[in-house]
Amino acid sequence: MPRQQGASPSSTKAATLHDVARVAGVSLITASRALTKPSLVSDTTIERVQAAVQATGYIPNLLAGSLKSSRSRLIAGLVPALSVAQFLPTLQALTDVLDAAGYQLMLGQMRYDNSRQDALLNAMISRRVDGIVVTGLIGSEAVRRQVGQLGIPVVETWDLPENPTDMVVGFSHTAVGRAVAAYLVGKGYGRIGLATGDDHRAQLRRQGLLAGLGREVPTATVPAPSSLALGRRALGELLQQDPALRAVACSADQLAQGVVVEALARGLRVPEDLAVCGFGNADFSAHTVPTLTTVRVDGAAIGRRAGEMILARCRGETVPDRIVDVGFAIAQRESA
Amino acid sequence: MPRQQGASPSSTKAATLHDVARVAGVSLITASRALTKPSLVSDTTIERVQAAVQATGYIPNLLAGSLKSSRSRLIAGLVPALSVAQFLPTLQALTDVLDAAGYQLMLGQMRYDNSRQDALLNAMISRRVDGIVVTGLIGSEAVRRQVGQLGIPVVETWDLPENPTDMVVGFSHTAVGRAVAAYLVGKGYGRIGLATGDDHRAQLRRQGLLAGLGREVPTATVPAPSSLALGRRALGELLQQDPALRAVACSADQLAQGVVVEALARGLRVPEDLAVCGFGNADFSAHTVPTLTTVRVDGAAIGRRAGEMILARCRGETVPDRIVDVGFAIAQRESA
DNA sequence: AGCGTCGATGTTAACGTTGTCATTTCAAGA
DNA sequence: TCTTGAAATGACAACGTTAACATCGACGCT
């Protein structure tokens, strides 16, 4: 099939709604309504228009429609990186909710970089997204003002700030840190270490952990994204700081898995010699040997709620609960 | 900050290029050019326009621009699911290449479902994407015709069909299967089993493996997406089929990791009692105990090449090599 | 001096759709 | 019969931008 390359889009121009209307023998606007607001048009006309669509091979131009109606049916979704498995259930649920309402998610990567976040948000706003869902918070005050002026609904997620830009669905990371501290102390582990990522939310959990313990702890900080390899390295660093370490709290299950692997490789038993607690309840965490004790967060619920809130605002409704706390729970398994 | 909810987009309407031009004291088109084609405008005018942009808080409307210029600077990227780690390096590289050229990637999930793929492609085409990159192949003949008629460049990836829709960057999955067969046979493993996903490309690798071995093998087929848990289950099934199994080929490193975990849990040594070979060279594969022998594919190269080819065609150039084979290599480690 | 050329700017007309208001038709109620 | 209203359709004008062509000096060249 020697397909034509380059600019020339083949002989005839693409069909527009004009062509459909002409073929169907109705006016332009009636053709438009038959396709987008069928309740306003008689059944026979709808059939004629749909036949004309088939005949002409018409593909609607959403650029034109969005421009005129100033509704793009496009929602911006911003994540630090696609490779952060943490946020996948959220994205999945968000996509599902939006999809069911005929909206499309436009994904962007911020790369833990505030200037990137700004540029990305500007690009999204330039495309006139109807709403924005961002994991974490919007850093730039300028962007906050912009979305406020343009009336674009925003949901910040996976955090629980006191002053959200607009709406927020998440949970308290410092509370997670305190809960992990309480759990490990309750289990009787005295010497606790921390293997943590360097992102903002992981640091909040760290603060919570320290507050809960009431003291500093040996800490290995690794760059994003968390991985098994970084977990192994982190345990090495921690054992150098305190060879008698009895437990390690981790900012991600990937790190926890690495810590376990490294511990076993060094001949330490888990949890008898070293207890390990993760965060996020990754898909593998219940199936490793030993299974991983971790913090369970309902990422899908975050995505679902965020999508519903955005959609409600797109319909012009007022959202009563603009701050939603989905909470968390410690999933007790074998490793701690 | 009691932010205004609902429809009302605050008092004044958003600034348009008209406003910018008026404030800058130039004509509309000069303002447009100052922002998009600075080489055509004098430096002093550019400064005046940029000052006016600041003063008015202007945010360009890409819907309008794209409509008129019929170039959206939007590329569709279709993956089976976001959760398939396999394709992340490809997406990452693709995003980077497009980003550098001022293009944006619009991601869509097909969910291993051909009707979904159709609907998604139609939605993308309706938004007038300038190009399409899809992992796997375009199934629908109707969509193939559409993109052909509209002159939208398409790159199919991660496969190497004889008749691509337009362009293709990938490798031969049957060749992978044969290579794995040769490798395992060369190592002297007699009784070989297969733990595989049910997607099309995994089945191609299966065929290659069988062709290479010249016989059927015990097979455990698991549903997508592959995971550690499914790998554990698969090994259980395989050992039921052949308790004396000596090696397992897997269609993903996640499965291989699960097979290893299950084997160790059953007291089998890897690779002495059971050899395991994965596919994809995931980030963790070089760091597990034992390290995973797997098939390395340069996913980033696929994304890079795909992006470059799309961009070239967007610039109106003709791409000489429309079929690119990036090949693969077996990464020999401890598990096989 | 006259010519073409180039750089800088402007005028006009779209791109393809939908919001708004107007018109027609027909059935039901007074 | 006339009014009223709803259902169905249409005419027109946008939405905000850029392509295409036009204009107008200034400059260098023959």
Side-chain angles (χ1 to χ4, degrees):
Chain A
M1 197 202 297
R3 191 164 169 288
Q4 195 168 11
Q5 280 199 358
S8 56
S10 114
S11 51
T12 60
K13 303 201 103 182
T16 74
L17 206 47
H18 277 97
D19 304 315
V20 173
R22 189 166 32 72
V23 170
V26 297
S27 75
L28 179 62
I29 188 67
T30 300
S32 169
R33 281 197 279 249
L35 296 176
T36 59
K37 295 171 181 169
S39 63
L40 296 179
V41 178
S42 73
D43 291 350
T44 60
T45 304
I46 291 180
E47 277 173 36
R48 284 228 308 276
V49 170
Q50 272 168 348
V53 167
Q54 288 294 323
T56 54
Y58 170 70
I59 302 175
N61 187 327
L62 247 51
L63 293 178
S66 300
L67 173 61
K68 177 58 187 167
S69 66
S70 49
R71 293 216 310 23
S72 63
R73 294 186 165 276
L74 212 50
I75 305 293
L78 269 59
V79 290
L82 287 175
S83 52
V84 184
Q86 188 90 166
F87 303 126
L88 284 181
T90 300
L91 288 179
Q92 196 62 60
L94 182 59
T95 307
D96 291 346
V97 170
L98 296 181
D99 201 82
Y103 279 69
Q104 199 147 4
L105 185 68
M106 193 161 178
L107 224 46
Q109 293 186 72
M110 304 177 293
R111 308 203 189 141
Y112 295 103
D113 173 347
N114 261 340
S115 70
R116 277 283 308 171
Q117 192 197 45
D118 260 44
L120 207 51
L121 276 169
N122 271 311
M124 296 293 190
I125 295 173
S126 285
R127 296 195 190 273
R128 293 302 188 262
V129 291
D130 289 339
I132 298 174
V133 177
V134 50
T135 56
L137 309 178
I138 291 186
S140 150
E141 192 54 49
V143 173
R144 282 181 172 225
R145 263 198 310 274
Q146 276 183 348
V147 295
Q149 275 183 347
L150 292 172
I152 303 177
V154 176
V155 181
E156 291 161 306
T157 63
W158 282 85
D159 206 340
L160 211 59
E162 297 178 6
N163 296 334
T165 303
D166 183 4
M167 300 176 283
V168 61
V169 183
F171 57 95
S172 164
H173 288 264
T174 53
V176 168
R178 274 195 298 271
V180 169
Y183 177 83
L184 293 177
V185 168
K187 282 278 194 165
Y189 303 116
R191 311 183 77 134
I192 298 174
L194 175 63
T196 181
D198 57 359
D199 63 276
H200 177 247
R201 287 176 296 281
Q203 290 304 314
L204 287 178
R205 295 197 292 277
R206 172 171 197 269
Q207 288 170 22
L209 184 84
L210 298 185
L213 294 174
R215 65 168 189 279
E216 281 289 331
V217 298
T219 298
T221 303
V222 302
S226 296
S227 67
L228 191 153
L230 288 171
R232 295 190 66 168
R233 204 177 81 188
L235 180 58
E237 293 177 22
L238 289 174
L239 288 176
Q240 266 189 323
Q241 293 180 45
D242 180 0
L245 208 62
R246 282 285 291 115
V248 179
C250 303
S251 70
D253 280 2
Q254 282 78 9
L255 287 180
Q257 196 184 15
V259 168
V260 168
V261 167
E262 183 66 22
L264 298 177
R266 289 171 181 241
L268 296 170
R269 291 166 303 164
V270 177
E272 292 80 0
D273 301 324
L274 188 77
V276 180
C277 179
F279 174 81
N281 193 30
D283 63 351
F284 56 79
S285 303
H287 305 280
T288 51
V289 176
T291 55
L292 280 179
T293 292
T294 186
V295 178
R296 181 187 289 133
V297 175
D298 194 343
I302 293 179
R304 209 178 314 119
R305 287 301 298 268
E308 287 164 357
M309 287 160 86
I310 286 278
L311 287 176
R313 285 280 287 277
C314 286
R315 286 190 299 262
E317 302 167 13
T318 296
V319 175
D321 300 320
R322 289 165 54 173
I323 299 185
V324 177
D325 186 346
V326 299
F328 61 90
I330 290 187
Q332 181 172 1
R333 302 210 184 93
E334 294 165 359
S335 70
Chain B
M1 197 202 296
R3 190 164 171 288
Q4 195 167 11
Q5 280 199 359
S8 53
S10 114
S11 51
T12 60
K13 302 201 109 184
T16 74
L17 206 47
H18 277 97
D19 304 316
V20 173
R22 189 166 33 71
V23 171
V26 297
S27 75
L28 180 61
I29 189 65
T30 300
S32 171
R33 281 197 278 250
L35 297 176
T36 57
K37 295 170 181 171
S39 64
L40 297 179
V41 178
S42 73
D43 291 350
T44 60
T45 305
I46 290 181
E47 278 174 34
R48 285 228 307 276
V49 170
Q50 272 168 350
V53 167
Q54 287 294 324
T56 54
Y58 170 70
I59 302 174
N61 187 327
L62 247 51
L63 292 177
S66 301
L67 174 60
K68 177 58 188 165
S69 67
S70 50
R71 293 212 303 50
S72 63
R73 296 186 163 273
L74 211 51
I75 304 294
L78 268 58
V79 291
L82 288 175
S83 52
V84 184
Q86 188 90 167
F87 303 127
L88 284 181
T90 301
L91 288 179
Q92 196 62 60
L94 181 59
T95 307
D96 291 346
V97 170
L98 296 181
D99 201 82
Y103 280 69
Q104 198 146 6
L105 185 69
M106 193 161 178
L107 225 44
Q109 295 186 72
M110 304 178 292
R111 307 202 189 141
Y112 295 103
D113 173 347
N114 261 339
S115 70
R116 275 284 306 171
Q117 192 198 44
D118 259 43
L120 207 51
L121 276 168
N122 270 312
M124 296 294 190
I125 294 173
S126 284
R127 296 194 190 275
R128 294 300 188 262
V129 291
D130 289 341
I132 298 175
V133 177
V134 50
T135 57
L137 308 179
I138 291 186
S140 151
E141 192 54 49
V143 173
R144 282 181 173 226
R145 264 199 309 276
Q146 276 183 349
V147 295
Q149 276 184 347
L150 292 172
I152 303 177
V154 175
V155 181
E156 290 162 306
T157 63
W158 282 85
D159 206 340
L160 212 58
E162 298 178 5
N163 297 335
T165 303
D166 183 4
M167 300 176 284
V168 61
V169 184
F171 58 95
S172 163
H173 288 264
T174 54
V176 168
R178 273 195 298 271
V180 169
Y183 177 81
L184 293 176
V185 168
K187 282 277 194 166
Y189 303 117
R191 313 184 75 133
I192 298 174
L194 175 64
T196 181
D198 57 358
D199 64 275
H200 177 247
R201 287 176 295 282
Q203 291 303 315
L204 288 178
R205 295 198 291 277
R206 172 170 196 268
Q207 286 169 24
L209 185 84
L210 298 184
L213 294 174
R215 64 168 190 278
E216 281 289 331
V217 299
T219 299
T221 303
V222 303
S226 295
S227 66
L228 191 152
L230 288 172
R232 296 191 66 167
R233 206 177 79 188
L235 180 58
E237 293 177 22
L238 288 175
L239 288 176
Q240 267 189 322
Q241 293 179 46
D242 180 1
L245 208 62
R246 282 286 289 117
V248 179
C250 303
S251 70
D253 280 2
Q254 282 78 10
L255 287 180
Q257 196 183 15
V259 168
V260 168
V261 167
E262 183 66 22
L264 298 176
R266 288 169 182 243
L268 297 170
R269 291 165 304 163
V270 176
E272 292 80 1
D273 301 323
L274 188 77
V276 180
C277 179
F279 175 81
N281 192 30
D283 63 351
F284 56 78
S285 303
H287 305 281
T288 52
V289 177
T291 55
L292 280 179
T293 292
T294 186
V295 178
R296 182 188 289 133
V297 174
D298 193 345
I302 293 179
R304 209 177 315 118
R305 288 301 299 269
E308 287 163 358
M309 287 160 87
I310 286 277
L311 288 176
R313 285 281 287 278
C314 285
R315 286 189 300 262
E317 302 167 12
T318 295
V319 175
D321 300 320
R322 289 166 55 173
I323 299 186
V324 177
D325 186 347
V326 300
F328 60 89
I330 291 187
Q332 181 172 2
R333 303 211 182 95
E334 294 165 358
S335 71

